[in-house]
């Protein structure tokens, strides 16, 4: 089989297609022939040697990608969750089945520290896979494990929103577009920010109620306040980090919820917590979710016929070009590699 590996000196051009022996499933394991994987910002950090608890060392070799779709080709002894021919998605955290996160659960992420889904054949624990809605394409299924589940957990599991509440989605990357689709299906008012009017138009077609170009309106908390009659947003999907957190704190309502899921605008300087204290808002870090959450999300996707937005598809041998597209912010929704 062929696989994608990356090592020092890191970077997109360090990604190599390598030939490896075909793996075989052991007890409790499932052999999956991968059909597609999707890119996350985490993968961009990973291939640049910048991801993990400390940067990757010069001796590390990483098989990237947490998010994939494939078909079961063989099962090991004792496997009961799947049979040959089942179509499955990988789970971001292989050992987080249910309940709250723990250190042990969070240390079972695909790509790092566990070898990822970027190979034609891969062996997974049967606990680290789930069946998926039949109406979705392989490309669409490959977008679900990280971006979709992160949005799902933030909007429905952590924030505990009420019908008619206001949700702010920063940007038009994978998590934010899933957040828009889920919030729209649930009947929430949605506000989307972007630096591109063209992308804002596409977000409007997906159900966005209000649009803010943060390039022309850097103080985007003002339009958010105006759209909510001065009340502020009930929920904000914070993807920018240090570059946007101050505006999020200005935009959130008293008692509102800010889900911090990324730092694409930089880590930034330490912020003054006085504003957060003053309006009793909740600032919560969010890292994907459990298998139980994933399967609940898939039921909702099937019920509402929500189709993930796949913007660009590359052959898996053209991974460097796919990462260049991500780094350049060219995408709306998700970028996928197909096998």
């Amino acid at each position: 089989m062929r696989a994608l590996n990356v090592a020092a000196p890191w970077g997109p051009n360090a990604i190599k297609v390598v030939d490896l022996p075909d793996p075989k499933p052991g007890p409790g394991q499932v052999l999956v022939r991968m059909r597609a994987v999707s890119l996350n910002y985490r993968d961009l950090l990973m291939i640049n040697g910048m991801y993990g608890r400390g940067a990757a060392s010069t001796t590390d070799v990483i098989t990237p990608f947490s998010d994939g779709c494939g078909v079961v080709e063989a099962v090991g002894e004792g496997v009961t969750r799947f049979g040959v021919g089942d179509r499955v998605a990988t789970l971001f955290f292989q050992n987080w089945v249910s309940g709250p996160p723990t250190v042990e659960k969070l240390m079972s992420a695909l790509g790092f520290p566990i070898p990822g889904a970027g190979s034609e054949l891969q062996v997974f624990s049967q606990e680290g896979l789930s069946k998926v809605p039949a109406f979705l394409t392989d490309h669409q299924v490959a977008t679900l494990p990280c971006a979709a589940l992160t949005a799902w957990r933030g909007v429905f599991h952590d924030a505990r929103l009420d019908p008619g509440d206001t949700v702010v989605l920063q940007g038009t990357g994978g998590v934010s577009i899933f957040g828009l689709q889920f919030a729209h299906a649930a009947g929430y008012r949605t506000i989307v920010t972007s630096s591109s009017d063209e992308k804002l138009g596409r977000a409007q077609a997906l159900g966005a109620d209000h649009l803010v170009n943060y390039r022309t309106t850097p103080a985007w908390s003002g339009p958010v306040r105006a759209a909510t009659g001065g009340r502020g947003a009930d929920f904000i999907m914070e993807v920018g980090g240090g570059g946007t957190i101050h505006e999020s704190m200005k935009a959130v309502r008293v008692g509102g919820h800010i889900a911090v899921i990324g730092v694409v605008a930089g880590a930034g300087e330490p912020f003054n917590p006085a504003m957060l204290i003053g309006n009793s808002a909740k600032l919560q870090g969010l890292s994907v979710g459990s298998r139980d959450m994933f399967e609940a999300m898939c039921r909702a996707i099937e019920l509402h016929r929500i189709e993930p937005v796949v913007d660009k598809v590359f052959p898996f041998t053209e991974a460097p070009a796919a990462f260049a597209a991500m780094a350049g912010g060219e995408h709306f929704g998700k970028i996928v590699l197909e096998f």
Side-chain angles (χ1 to χ4, degrees):
M1 71 164 188
R2 294 176 298 172
L4 295 175
N5 279 353
V6 62
W10 309 106
N13 293 330
I15 301 173
K16 306 296 182 185
V17 179
V18 298
D19 291 313
L20 298 173
D22 289 359
K24 295 182 180 180
Q29 294 182 328
V30 178
L31 177 66
V32 177
R33 182 167 292 278
M34 302 305 300
R35 289 182 170 176
V37 293
S38 72
L39 277 64
N40 296 301
Y41 186 71
R42 168 185 186 256
D43 296 307
L44 184 61
L45 296 177
M46 192 178 297
I47 66 154
N48 284 314
M50 300 166 60
Y51 186 83
R53 300 180 188 278
S57 76
T58 56
T59 59
D60 287 332
V61 176
I62 291 174
T63 301
F65 305 112
S66 57
D67 296 18
C69 172
V71 174
V72 174
E73 189 150 298
V75 298
E77 181 182 354
V79 170
T80 57
R81 284 176 47 80
F82 305 102
V84 173
D86 286 343
R87 193 171 65 140
V88 296
T90 57
L91 295 174
F92 187 96
F93 291 115
Q94 291 286 285
N95 295 339
W96 189 1
V97 174
S98 61
T102 65
V103 171
E104 291 75 20
K105 293 173 183 177
L106 297 183
M107 288 303 293
S108 66
L110 285 179
F112 186 89
I114 295 174
S119 57
E120 292 177 317
L121 289 168
Q122 185 62 283
V123 168
F124 303 94
S125 164
Q126 69 167 335
E127 306 302 334
L129 301 167
S130 281
K131 296 179 183 179
V132 291
F135 80 98
L136 297 179
T137 68
D138 294 339
H139 295 164
Q140 290 171 331
V141 168
T143 70
L144 299 179
C146 179
L149 186 55
T150 296
W152 175 269
R153 176 184 164 190
V155 173
F156 298 116
H157 191 272
D158 292 346
R160 305 297 183 183
L161 300 173
D162 294 320
D165 278 354
T166 298
V167 172
V168 174
L169 295 316
Q170 291 181 359
T172 53
V175 177
S176 295
I177 293 302
F178 273 118
L180 169 60
Q181 291 177 292
F182 292 152
H184 179 66
Y188 303 143
R189 172 166 44 192
T190 53
I191 302 175
V192 174
T193 71
S194 174
S195 62
S196 164
D197 287 338
E198 185 271 333
K199 289 181 178 179
L200 287 172
R202 295 177 68 180
Q204 188 172 39
L206 289 174
D209 297 304
H210 301 278
L211 310 169
V212 183
N213 187 317
Y214 63 78
R215 190 178 300 278
T216 57
T217 310
W220 52 263
S221 58
V224 171
R225 289 267 171 198
T228 57
R231 182 172 183 265
D234 300 280
F235 176 85
I236 298 175
M237 191 74 75
E238 171 59 58
V239 304
T244 54
I245 189 66
H246 292 282
E247 284 301 303
S248 289
M249 290 191 291
K250 292 177 183 178
V252 72
R253 71 162 171 84
V254 171
H257 187 113
I258 302 172
V260 182
I261 65 104
V263 290
V264 297
E269 297 295 323
F271 65 86
N272 185 340
M275 189 178 303
L276 202 65
I277 296 169
N279 66 4
S280 299
K282 183 177 183 181
L283 187 68
Q284 180 177 349
L286 195 167
S287 181
V288 202
S290 68
R291 191 178 79 198
D292 282 357
M293 295 179 204
F294 183 89
E295 293 179 347
M297 177 189 73
C298 285
R299 291 193 293 271
I301 287 173
E302 192 150 29
L303 176 64
H304 293 283
R305 285 327 222 214
I306 296 172
E307 295 198 23
V309 178
V310 176
D311 191 53
K312 299 179 186 298
V313 178
F314 296 81
F316 90 103
T317 53
E318 296 181 13
F323 279 111
M326 168 170 275
E330 300 174 13
H331 58 297
F332 178 95
K334 295 294 290 182
I335 299 172
V336 168
L337 299 177
E338 64 179 2
F339 290 87

